Amino acid sequence: MTQWKPTACILCECNCGLQVQLGGDDGRHLVRLRGDKAHPMSRGYACEKAHRLDYYQNNRDRLTSPMRRRPDGTFEAIDWDTAIGEIAQRLAAVRDEHGGESIFYYGGGGQGNHLPGAYASATRRALGSRYRSNALAQEKTGEMWVTAKMLGVYTRGDFEHCEVAMFIGKNPWHSHSIPRARVTLKAIAKDPARTMIVIDPRRSETAAMADIHLAVRPGGDAWLLAAMVAVLVQDDRLDHEFLTAHAEGVDAIVERFGSISIADYCQRAGVDEADVRRTVDVIARAGSVASFEDLGVQMNHNSTLVSYLHRLVWLLTGNLGKPGTHYVPTSLVNLGGGSGGNKQRTSPVVGARIIGGLVPCNVIAEEILADHPARYRAMIVEAANPAHSLADSQRFREAMGALDTLVVIDVAMTETAQLADYVLPTSTQYEKAEATFFNFEFPENGFHLRQPILTPPPGVLSEAEIHARLVEALGAVTEDDIAPLREAATRGAPAFAQVFFTRVMPNPRLAGLAPVLLFRALAPTLPEGLAEGAVLWGAAMRYAMQHGPSMARAGFDGPAPVAAAALFQAILERPSGVVFAVDEWNSCLERVRGKRAQLVIPELLQELDVLDQPPPAEAKDYPFVLSAGERRSLTANTIVRNPDWRNKKLQEALRMSPHDAQDLGIETGDRVRLSTKRGSAVVVVDVSEMMRPGHVSLPNGLGLGYPDAQGARSVTGVPANELTAAEDRDPFAGTPWHKHVPARIEALASA
Ligand SMILES: Nc1nc2c(c(=O)[nH]1)N[C@H]1C(S)=C(S)[C@@H](COP(=O)(O)OP(=O)(O)OC[C@H]3O[C@@H](n4cnc5c(=O)[nH]c(N)nc54)[C@H](O)[C@@H]3O)O[C@H]1N2
Ligand SMILES: Nc1nc2c(c(=O)[nH]1)N[C@H]1C(S)=C(S)[C@@H](COP(=O)(O)OP(=O)(O)OC[C@H]3O[C@@H](n4cnc5c(=O)[nH]c(N)nc54)[C@H](O)[C@@H]3O)O[C@H]1N2
Ligand code: SF4
Ligand SMILES: [Mo]
């Protein structure tokens, strides 16, 4: 009982290292949790959510048997052989009749688990499935497209050392995304030599501790950021030395922004021109600036344009490649799936731009429901809950109903699972080896393969095992493929590498199935409980071939196969995580494509013209702007289903300004009807000084169904995407406008 077991939190991308004590009547409850000081990235940090992770591990929606939908819509439990056999047969039939391209894959990982997607790549290969997506394609793809064009590499901000920190549509106090967020925020706030700038219509927890809060009009960020670039250009506050050495296109930027009316744009952004000028002055004078844009702008009007303008602000002021600015991390596995915007690919029905290999989430339903020969006919959803998390749930449900086959792989009976033909239950993230590829730190970058702290209950399998069985049932991998590898694995790392490189890599059929081959051949030789880590052998090998020097500085040196074997061993042996890369600041600019930033993206410079169009007429029917999906103290997408886990009041409420509440004659605790063009809901109001008049905000991840002890399901809070529309999306990246939903509010008579 008193033993502390190392693992990590799975509720946001920081994945803070934790130590857990198990207990309770069956010994399977996570009874005590604390930050793990040995974790190289979080170093003992954890927020309030981690302490309530038992609500994830133990809940009434847990699945422990494969389920098959009956014609009447109810589910029956079936055994694994039947489930795998029928699914393989049905998906193969779709492939043979319509082509593997008609089988769509969604998900692959959430905030805490990315190994499922790695193994699923083998199943997709066996099926010939080409199109896929996940949550990144409703938040980060616009930014990815811009970054690919400007730099060719991904960047992050060094908030621990920056003089000026800027957060645009980002509330790290609650949403984190930077390591040890609250420690870092407090350090910046209390240091008079450092400045925190927050751009947010709402006085968020982060805005409240900032030195400068620009309370932009909801959706007004493009004007604000364009005005900031214009001040830099017109007052000649550019870092010419940096730009001459490291950038192309300065003249075109100076010309385009030289004529922008700063006063006019500030007014349209709803921010005082003097405040904007003061902010730009702080940025231009600073020794270092680190900046982070997130959902407040990425799920909003002009989002791709904003991502571009945002990068111009810090590139024109030379804030790349030195401490306290922006760095270029190397990741063990590239989550974006390739080079981003350079290869032009589009989705088969709508013709939407595919960025980072991902079809925009907002077109998926349309691609299924179209009367088009290339429509998607079957879908595998894994570790995601798109029937709840994607725009326009009603239309998404309709699309799921139009599929020939829907397979969901999850731990719980989710909103998406309830629509499936087959639901395959998997071990939780505390019952198997699991990891994420959110490895963005610098100069030391860490990776954490978590060891299981519990055994899985009978009836569930890990995703690795599920995909291996599917690939085998499809006949794509046979014992003849596996046997020589398995034998080599027993002879040690060099022998295994040698056989893998001669038999698998040159063979196009086998190379795409490598994750399953590694799992079948290597897992038997791995320490107990770490079988799912097998696929990381390949990741370590690839990383060693690309980033030898970074790895050598972390202590893994020698020729690539030797260094990779040493890293793989360290990943298996260190239960609190391992530093796999140590970088140098001067490597950042070396990693930029062609070693020079491209300041001009012609399509987006042209798109700037939209900012000069007259504002649209006031929408009389929907006078409010609803931000549908705010991060709060106790929200975590849909990872935790039991509503009891939120032990704080009003976490489910609609936040509204005192001014609007007075107009409507309501108070905190009253109920209102909230309507959009797509739907309507009754919700409790929290009157909050945080909100600007006209702006209201709903939490994300609410509105989940959860059964009581008798099995009767009830819903707590509003499922935000019953109110959002799929066509409201960015013209470049297809990302949704969830933070800017026109809405109407009517007071209801008190109950
Ligand atoms: N507690 C908690 N933390 C989480 C998560 C969670 O569910 N709960 N989810 C994780 C995930 S998946 C993600 S992607 C991140 C997201 O992290 P954030 O992007 O920080 O989260 P949000 O609260 O959705 O949005 C941030 C801010 O955008 C503001 N905003 C709304 N409209 C506008 C606007 O027009 N302009 C500007 N500039 N700002 C606007 C909102 O007021 C809000 O403060 O959080 C991660 N962390
Ligand atoms: N309106 C609106 N919609 C939004 C947002 C918003 O702000 N507003 N935010 C969006 C954002 S940024 C994101 S990231 C998405 C998140 O939405 P999704 O990507 O759909 O992810 P989650 O809701 O976290 O769902 C994770 C699923 O994984 C399951 N799971 C947990 N552990 C395991 C495991 O070990 N194996 C498997 N196979 N499954 C497991 C959980 O039960 C859950 O069903 O939501 C988006 N939707
Ligand atoms: S939710 Fe909190 S404890 Fe968990 S990973 Fe995120 S910051 Fe860390
Ligand atoms: Mo997200």
Side-chain angles (χ1 to χ4, degrees):
M1 157 74 195
T2 49
Q3 197 197 347
W4 290 97
K5 297 191 174 196
T7 179
C9 176
I10 59 163
L11 298 179
C12 88
E13 66 169 271
C14 293
N15 303 134
C16 300
L18 297 179
Q19 293 190 320
V20 176
Q21 280 185 355
L22 298 171
D25 27 350
D26 58 358
R28 293 184 62 87
H29 287 265
L30 281 54
V31 291
R32 291 184 69 196
L33 299 102
R34 66 182 187 199
D36 181 0
K37 293 198 174 79
H39 192 274
M41 299 303 128
S42 60
R43 304 185 312 242
Y45 181 89
C47 78
E48 69 273 25
K49 291 189 288 302
H51 298 281
R52 305 180 66 74
L53 271 165
D54 192 51
Y55 285 93
Y56 161 77
Q57 173 60 32
N58 291 290
N59 73 84
R60 291 198 191 107
D61 264 335
R62 182 78 197 270
L63 288 160
T64 51
S65 165
M67 305 297 270
R68 179 174 60 196
R69 170 184 293 277
R70 295 196 191 94
D72 69 358
T74 60
F75 285 91
E76 60 190 329
I78 54 174
D79 65 68
W80 275 100
D81 285 347
T82 307
I84 296 286
E86 288 186 12
I87 291 168
Q89 198 203 337
R90 280 178 69 161
L91 294 178
V94 173
R95 173 194 62 194
D96 297 343
E97 198 180 335
H98 303 288
E101 317 80 88
S102 69
I103 303 174
F104 194 81
Y105 178 80
Y106 189 87
Q111 301 295 302
N113 57 329
H114 290 159
L115 298 184
Y119 287 103
S121 68
T123 301
R124 289 169 47 223
R125 177 60 67 100
L127 289 166
S129 157
R130 280 188 64 211
Y131 297 104
R132 70 180 174 110
S133 196
N134 61 41
L136 290 171
Q138 42 89 75
E139 47 174 325
K140 297 284 171 278
T141 36
E143 181 184 18
M144 283 158 63
W145 189 72
V146 164
T147 304
K149 297 242 177 237
M150 295 179 94
L151 301 168
V153 286
Y154 187 65
T155 61
R156 284 250 166 172
D158 178 12
F159 292 94
E160 217 175 311
H161 305 104
C162 64
E163 184 184 321
V164 172
M166 180 156 72
F167 299 105
I168 310 176
K170 170 84 199 157
N171 181 21
W173 183 265
H174 277 322
S175 66
H176 288 80
S177 310
I178 58 174
R180 306 162 55 79
R182 291 172 186 176
V183 175
T184 302
L185 292 173
K186 282 186 201 158
I188 300 170
K190 80 162 200 259
D191 186 342
R194 304 174 75 187
T195 308
M196 194 193 301
I197 301 166
V198 172
I199 300 177
D200 195 317
R202 188 170 69 97
R203 196 162 180 80
S204 66
E205 292 77 1
T206 313
M209 59 199 294
D211 301 281
I212 300 178
H213 173 205
L214 299 179
V216 65
R217 174 180 65 77
D221 299 83
W223 286 272
L224 173 57
L225 287 160
M228 289 170 75
V229 175
V231 174
L232 287 170
V233 163
Q234 293 175 23
D235 292 358
D236 193 16
R237 306 296 301 272
L238 311 185
D239 183 340
H240 290 287
E241 199 184 319
F242 172 88
L243 294 171
T244 305
H246 304 297
E248 295 292 338
V250 181
D251 293 347
I253 298 298
V254 168
E255 197 195 315
R256 181 63 184 84
F257 289 86
S259 61
I260 278 179
S261 164
I262 295 164
D264 186 34
Y265 275 34
C266 290
Q267 202 213 338
R268 288 191 66 176
V271 183
D272 270 355
E273 183 180 340
D275 290 341
V276 176
R277 289 185 179 276
R278 180 166 69 101
T279 307
V280 174
D281 182 56
V282 166
I283 292 170
R285 264 193 293 118
S288 60
V289 178
S291 185
F292 202 128
E293 64 171 63
D294 214 341
L295 302 186
V297 287
Q298 294 187 336
M299 291 183 168
N300 215 321
H301 291 178
N302 304 307
S303 56
T304 303
L305 181 58
V306 165
S307 293
Y308 174 54
L309 296 168
H310 171 207
R311 265 151 203 79
L312 283 180
V313 169
W314 55 258
L315 282 169
L316 290 170
T317 48
N319 284 294
L320 173 63
K322 51 182 189 181
T325 66
H326 299 88
Y327 55 79
V328 180
T330 61
S331 44
L332 200 59
V333 171
N334 184 353
L335 266 184
S339 59
N342 294 315
K343 257 187 284 152
Q344 277 285 350
R345 254 182 92 201
T346 53
S347 69
V349 176
V350 175
R353 192 179 263 123
I354 291 178
I355 300 169
L358 305 174
V359 171
C361 295
N362 276 49
V363 309
I364 296 171
E366 216 169 315
E367 300 246 330
I368 295 167
L369 291 168
D371 181 12
H372 189 287
R375 69 179 189 266
Y376 311 135
R377 320 258 174 169
M379 197 156 152
I380 302 173
V381 175
E382 179 169 45
N385 190 5
H388 185 280
S389 61
L390 299 197
D392 213 332
S393 303
Q394 302 157 66
R395 194 150 159 80
F396 195 84
R397 284 192 293 268
E398 195 189 328
M400 294 302 98
L403 292 170
D404 174 290
T405 303
L406 171 62
V407 179
V408 171
I409 304 172
D410 206 299
V411 295
M413 198 61 178
T414 66
E415 286 64 25
T416 311
Q418 284 164 41
L419 307 172
D421 297 292
Y422 295 90
V423 188
L424 300 180
T426 178
S427 31
T428 70
Q429 297 177 49
Y430 297 106
E431 296 165 349
K432 66 192 168 209
E434 191 52 277
T436 69
F437 304 128
F438 291 134
N439 316 121
F440 304 130
E441 306 322 322
F442 190 94
E444 296 197 346
N445 202 351
F447 179 81
H448 187 191
L449 177 68
R450 288 121 47 186
Q451 305 189 353
I453 59 172
L454 286 161
T455 52
V460 306
L461 298 176
S462 73
E463 291 87 347
E465 182 65 35
I466 292 172
H467 288 295
R469 290 191 189 188
L470 282 171
V471 166
E472 286 159 353
L474 287 161
V477 157
T478 64
E479 180 57 21
D480 288 349
D481 299 321
I482 298 165
L485 289 161
R486 193 190 290 123
E487 187 275 328
T490 63
R491 287 186 285 119
F496 183 77
Q498 206 261 330
V499 173
F500 193 85
F501 279 111
T502 50
R503 289 189 69 100
V504 179
M505 294 321 285
N507 179 334
R509 178 180 70 87
L510 290 181
L513 302 167
V516 159
L517 295 172
L518 287 169
F519 182 67
R520 283 294 187 238
L522 204 52
T525 68
L526 301 182
E528 197 188 334
L530 295 185
E532 287 77 22
V535 71
L536 298 170
W537 182 90
M541 200 58 82
R542 206 175 318 109
Y543 186 81
M545 292 191 287
Q546 291 167 354
H547 301 291
S550 302
M551 237 172 115
R553 282 187 291 265
F556 305 105
D557 45 13
V562 175
L567 173 58
F568 183 58
Q569 199 59 33
I571 286 172
L572 298 173
E573 281 170 2
R574 299 189 202 163
S576 295
V578 46
V579 172
F580 66 91
V582 177
D583 274 317
E584 288 168 344
W585 275 95
N586 62 19
S587 67
C588 291
L589 285 156
E590 296 289 312
R591 286 175 184 159
V592 170
R593 190 184 43 234
K595 300 193 177 37
R596 292 178 80 79
Q598 301 297 324
L599 300 181
V600 173
I601 301 181
E603 296 96 318
L604 292 178
L605 277 189
Q606 202 183 336
E607 180 71 7
L608 259 185
D609 296 349
V610 304
L611 302 186
D612 293 323
Q613 284 164 15
E618 294 266 311
K620 290 209 177 50
D621 292 349
Y622 300 106
F624 286 90
V625 172
L626 165 68
S627 282
E630 179 189 297
R631 271 67 189 163
R632 295 184 182 168
S633 171
L634 287 162
T635 64
N637 294 338
T638 71
I639 302 166
V640 184
R641 300 189 60 82
N642 184 344
D644 293 342
W645 96 288
R646 286 183 297 273
N647 60 345
K648 290 187 185 166
K649 282 206 179 110
L650 291 170
Q651 289 281 309
E652 295 93 351
L654 178 77
R655 284 187 173 148
M656 176 189 290
S657 75
H659 175 275
D660 291 330
Q662 201 183 359
D663 269 4
L664 288 161
I666 53 176
E667 301 172 4
T668 292
D670 286 349
R671 293 172 322 133
V672 295
R673 177 165 296 282
L674 172 66
S675 309
T676 69
K677 69 173 177 187
R678 221 40 207 114
S680 112
V682 172
V683 60
V684 168
V685 166
D686 178 11
V687 180
S688 167
E689 298 282 351
M690 285 180 159
M691 304 307 296
R692 242 179 101 118
H695 188 207
V696 292
S697 179
L698 270 182
N700 86 307
L702 269 290
L704 301 179
Y706 191 72
D708 64 17
Q710 282 69 48
R713 213 164 251 283
S714 60
V715 170
T716 313
V718 176
N721 289 311
E722 300 291 338
L723 302 175
T724 58
E727 71 272 18
D728 290 343
R729 59 181 188 246
D730 182 69
F732 288 89
T735 42
W737 292 340
H738 287 333
K739 304 295 173 190
H740 203 93
V741 184
R744 180 172 64 234
I745 296 170
E746 293 144 278
L748 297 177
S750 326

